[in-house]
Amino acid sequence: MIIENKIINQSLEIVRHPSGLTIQLMPMVGYGSTYVIFGTKYGSVDRSFKLGGEEEYLAVPDGVAHFLEHKLFENEKEDAFERYARTGASANAYTSFEKTCYLFSCTDKLKESLEILLDFVTSPYFTEETVKKEQGIIGQEIKMYQDHADWRVFFGMLSSLYHDHPVRLDIAGTVESISKIDADMLYRCYRTFYSLSNMVLCIAGKFDREEVLSVCDRILKKGEDKVIHRAPEPEPPEIVKGESVIKLPIAMPIFNIGYKEKPFSTQRMAKGEILSEILLEMLAGPCSLLYKKLYQAGLINQSFGTEALVGKDFRVHIFGGESKDPRAVLALVKEEIALRKKYGLDPTLFEEIRKMIYGKYIKLFGSTEAVASAMSGTYFKGYTVFEPINLTTHITFDEVTEHFLSDFREDRVTLSVVEPI
Amino acid sequence: MESRFKREKISENIYFTGIKDEKFKSNRISVNLIVPLQVDTVTEYALLPMLLSKGSRNMADFTELNRRLAGMYGATLSTGTSKLGPYQILTLSISVMDDRFTMAKEQNTSDGARLLCELLLQPKIEDTKFDGELVKLERQALIEEIQAQMNDKRAYTIRRCEELLYQGQSRGLPQYGYKDKAQQITAQSAAAAYERLLSGCKIEIMFLGCGDIDEVCVTFRNEFASVLTSGFSLNEFEAPVQNREVLHGEEKLDVSQSKLAIGFQTPVSGSDKDASATRLAVALFGGTPFSRLFTHVREKQSLCYYCAAKYDRLNGTMMVDCGIEAEKKQQAYEEILKQFEIVKNGEFTAEELDNTRLSLLNSLNAVKDSLSSQETWYLAQIISGTLYSPSEEAKRITEVAAQDVQAAFDKMRLTADFFLTSKQ
């Protein structure tokens, strides 16, 4: 299936491979590089699951998805980085809340690098010895992130909003939780989530269509169809607590204000994300009155920003940055939201922000990395990479207002702070 | 697709460099003001981009500026202060969506170029003073930025090591300057600094993207017609002083993971061939996931979580840095030096060299697919007094032999190290 976007003159081809894998291809004329992402819909929140036909859900320790990401690079004979060394590709991987992605970029030997990627991700090899060694390495990674104030303030906010949903947990787990991981568990998780029907391959930039598809034909084998049941994570709408504070050796306080929101349905996901993005810019972006008030009071600096964190069954509006007085920032944010709910949003500002968001999504298509990342991200959320551009041109002020009025409840907000020691 | 390179002198000490490439969807324009790093000016100059980015004298406030940027399809304005070699670079840049995607045939690109000129050349200065309230806010923001340098522990450790490497030299100055000097800046002294900067710097204007390169060049030629700057010679920068003994530093903070940075000095002068050999040598030593440091210090001996090496040609340094457990410091240090000797003695395989070369070529060949990478590349080239394209550098990399790599490491000297560790 080919989807064309006439605005940016790009086409997206979606191929349903016989193996069950979905392949998304976006040729970018004139580019000399290729960016490839092979992703699975499996992340840190998937801590309890079963396959169709099984009776009981299996609960696994925190951090398994991330652990698996590390381990897949290893093989009995040669690890993936040693193989990539012979092609010159620049490779990496990451695990987030709902997905794990293996990627590389290259300007030459695409066929060889693609073979390596598809092969090592579909060829797991775990032993108790290699698992033990990785526990040491990941243990150090966890310690490294313990020193990152941005990371700590973010999870401080999430754990103050969510009672039990696993989004509150560090993606890598803890030193204690990963000590419980063994090879059998890794194989079980792998066989559940790394079935090709649960995955996507995204290629953006310079490539030969027939060549990449023939590599897929050669390496990818059709497995049994699997139906994955992820255990529901019931979560009350109320938050846990209104404030959390920890101390680290930093120069000035860092904060995250988080509003806990009702999750979007799958059908509403694409539009909902754009509505949130526009709304946050209108409320607290650099064009807003709130931003001006906070900046001129010396309460924020250039580190201030907003984000809409959106998952299948969690959603948070976030305001964050450095501040000498985070509680004062929270008070002003609450005050502004109350005022806007009473007197309404600014329709002129809406048009400016809409143009801004439209421009942002057009510019995205100038980078192979941005395109491939957007392709995989939107696929797992159930829409295509062109949706944001299409939606932005049609979204209305009334839709943004309606979205605003149903969100940002004052009893659903928390403040997370990391203070200097 | 059409691709075009243009470099033109706008006037004395002011140059325009443009790269047009039709494949992109946006355009990136920057004005870079280059001055020698000096202790007396580094702080006050660091404040200037922050002041200029809040609006011109024609704008009520920064909200008006930001709404104008939003209306230009989300044009992104960025300003900053950086160091390259012995120079401080003050930058204002704008990234704009290309005209061909606008909904009403707006001239987004030339609007962006003109806006940049307005912000730089029509600042909020009246009666020889910047707006007082603006200076007060941005001065505080600069102080916060200076203080925040210690937040990223990895970067902080490297900077502390650099202070030892460049002891007493301007290269070792912090890029945002000093808190006490920032506190002394007034609305008047800031305006005086602005005039001094504009009349004594070199200006490099860069345009990269798919837009009309000639039109943008004409815009800058017209707008900068009355700018007179005396500049200085870019090619005669001071060579770093070679230290004679190894300097050690340590600091204790409440951290979970310790950091170690080890600095080496290498000659700055020397041919481009030498520089390419050093670049390849450093990558083989610690610049890839299959380098000596990654394979031996991290993977085989599990001495650290990360361990990498980076080369800075303009400063003549190689910096090794790693994240480690405190009790493994000595072991990691010894292993790093052992691997250094291995490269210096040529005890690496042809396969290692070839694979490293492939990796570097991949990076170099990818530069032309990114506007920001190209800008970074060419600005560094201009500062060095050269104008090589990434593909010309790639050609030199293909010609580097094993003995060149050995020779590059033979010229390096261990000069300083810094250890950041836990109080407990």
Side-chain angles (χ1 to χ4, degrees), chain A residues 7 10 32-33 86 88 106-107 140-141 144 147 249 251 286 292 295 301-302 352 355 358 363 421, chain B residues 25 54 61 63 66-67 71 76 95 101 106 137-138 144 147 151 153 254 256-257 305 358 362 369:
Chain A
I7 298 173
Q10 291 273 174
S33 61
R86 292 193 287 275
C106 68
T107 55
Q140 290 186 53
E141 183 179 350
M144 186 178 80
D147 292 332
K292 181 175 167 178
Y295 199 93
N301 57 32
Q302 296 209 149
E352 287 163 6
K355 252 176 130 175
Y358 169 83
K363 286 200 269 185
I421 289 178
Chain B
K25 308 265 185 304
K54 291 299 180 288
D61 53 28
T63 306
N66 289 328
R67 289 186 76 154
T76 1
S95 168
F101 303 112
E106 291 112 309
L137 277 174
E138 296 309 311
E144 287 168 7
Q147 291 174 322
N151 288 357
K153 300 297 183 282
D254 285 302
S256 299
Q257 184 186 72
Y305 174 63
L358 271 179
N362 182 64
D369 277 1

Side-chain angles (χ1 to χ4, degrees), chain B residues 1 15 17 38 118 120-121 165 178 199-200 285-286 304 326 345 413 417:
Chain B
M1 284 202 156
Y15 283 82
T17 306
Q38 290 179 321
E118 183 183 333
L120 179 64
L121 301 176
L165 266 180
Y178 301 92
S199 60
F285 177 55
C304 55
N345 297 334
R413 295 286 172 267
D417 63 66

Side-chain angles (χ1 to χ4, degrees), chain B residues 34 48 51 159 220 228 247 257 259 291 310 340 419:
Chain B
I34 305 163
L48 291 175
L51 293 172
R159 259 195 305 277
F220 279 100
L228 295 170
L247 299 171
Q257 184 186 72
K259 314 281 190 208
S291 65
K310 206 167 163 193
F340 177 85
F419 185 52

Side-chain angles (χ1 to χ4, degrees), chain B residues 261-290:
Chain B
I262 306 172
F264 296 75
Q265 283 189 310
T266 187
V268 172
S269 59
S271 65
D272 299 321
K273 181 171 178 275
D274 288 341
S276 301
T278 308
R279 181 174 280 129
L280 185 56
V282 172
L284 186 148
F285 177 55
T288 72
F290 48 87

Side-chain angles (χ1 to χ4, degrees), chain A residues 284-335:
Chain A
C287 297
S288 67
L289 287 173
L290 174 62
Y291 186 99
K292 181 175 167 178
K293 206 183 285 186
L294 289 168
Y295 199 93
Q296 288 183 334
L299 288 172
I300 60 169
N301 57 32
Q302 296 209 149
S303 66
F304 182 76
T306 59
E307 183 191 342
L309 177 69
V310 178
K312 179 175 73 82
D313 51 9
F314 58 88
R315 188 161 73 90
V316 186
H317 285 124
I318 307 169
F319 304 76
E322 293 173 339
S323 177
K324 62 186 184 200
D325 190 350
R327 290 177 187 89
V329 176
L330 175 64
L332 284 173
V333 167
K334 281 178 165 178
E335 182 186 274

Side-chain angles (χ1 to χ4, degrees), chain A residues 177-188:
Chain A
S177 71
I178 65 172
S179 69
K180 298 178 187 146
I181 296 172
D182 58 34
D184 284 341
M185 192 182 296
L186 291 177
Y187 275 117
R188 175 81 190 268

